Amino acid sequence: MEENVTTIELPKKRPTFLTVLCILSFIGSGGGFLYYVYNYFTFENTYTEQLAKFTEVVEMMEDNGSDSGFLYNSAVNKIVELNAMNENLDLITGAFCLFALLSLFGAILMWKLKKNGFYLYTFTNVFALLIPLALIDFNAMLMNTLIGAVFTLLFIIMYAVNLKHMK
């Protein structure tokens, strides 16, 4: 008599570290999407207020003869950023929303222990760093992009450590 033995493969258990990373990504990507949508509808009011404030700061610094240095350049860069955002608001908001949703989808796939989620998340977040450089202004956005790149790289590394648990 032949014996039939069937093996039942239990689903893999998601490591706690990966669970925490995914939850943080859900919050970051979902919150980012909501922020970009909110910013789109409130941009006109904040644009006018911030542009007036930074223009006043730049004019005051020019009048005082301190029209160089970090603070002056930061204020000028903020004016450039605001004007570029105003000119390309639909394109910039659309790109940021798309990348936030793709990043969220990548995190959901990693939650389900799918390696494809890691590749989608990595691709999305690396290219999302390029949006402000390409669509707003390279010089004005370089510092913000570098700061964002540090966090992006840390998350990609932490997810890569968990690749062995994904299939």
Side-chain angles (χ1 to χ4, degrees):
M1 179 167 156
E2 224 177 274
E3 190 175 315
N4 269 343
V5 178
T6 56
T7 57
I8 299 172
E9 187 176 314
L10 295 174
K12 282 185 165 184
K13 185 177 179 331
R14 186 181 329 99
T16 304
F17 184 53
L18 181 59
T19 301
V20 170
L21 283 175
C22 289
I23 291 170
L24 290 174
S25 292
F26 296 157
I27 293 167
S29 298
F33 176 80
L34 294 175
Y35 168 77
Y36 300 128
V37 170
Y38 173 79
N39 189 45
Y40 180 79
F41 291 108
T42 61
F43 184 76
E44 189 174 323
N45 291 336
T46 56
Y47 166 73
T48 306
E49 293 169 12
Q50 288 187 358
L51 186 63
K53 180 175 71 173
F54 284 104
T55 302
E56 183 181 326
V57 168
V58 166
E59 289 172 354
M60 182 182 70
M61 292 179 90
E62 287 172 346
D63 290 344
N64 292 338
S66 55
D67 56 348
S68 63
F70 179 75
L71 290 177
Y72 178 79
N73 289 333
S74 295
V76 169
N77 285 342
K78 190 64 177 177
I79 292 171
V80 169
E81 175 189 340
L82 287 167
N83 286 328
M85 286 281 296
N86 188 47
E87 292 170 14
N88 300 306
L89 186 62
D90 293 339
L91 180 62
I92 292 167
T93 302
F96 275 130
C97 284
L98 174 66
F99 282 119
L101 289 175
L102 288 173
S103 179
L104 179 62
F105 185 62
I108 290 169
L109 288 174
M110 287 187 284
W111 178 268
K112 295 178 178 184
L113 300 175
K114 306 281 186 198
K115 271 187 185 178
N116 289 344
F118 171 76
Y119 301 119
L120 178 62
Y121 180 88
T122 300
F123 173 82
T124 299
N125 283 285
V126 168
F127 277 93
L129 290 171
L130 302 177
I131 294 171
L133 298 176
L135 298 179
I136 299 174
D137 183 77
F138 186 85
N139 292 327
M141 298 305 297
L142 186 59
M143 186 57 72
N144 290 344
T145 301
L146 289 175
I147 292 168
V150 169
F151 287 103
T152 298
L153 184 61
L154 286 174
F155 267 77
I156 290 171
I157 290 169
M158 290 186 286
Y159 276 125
V161 167
N162 285 284
L163 271 175
K164 62 187 172 218
H165 302 291
M166 299 179 211
K167 49 183 168 165

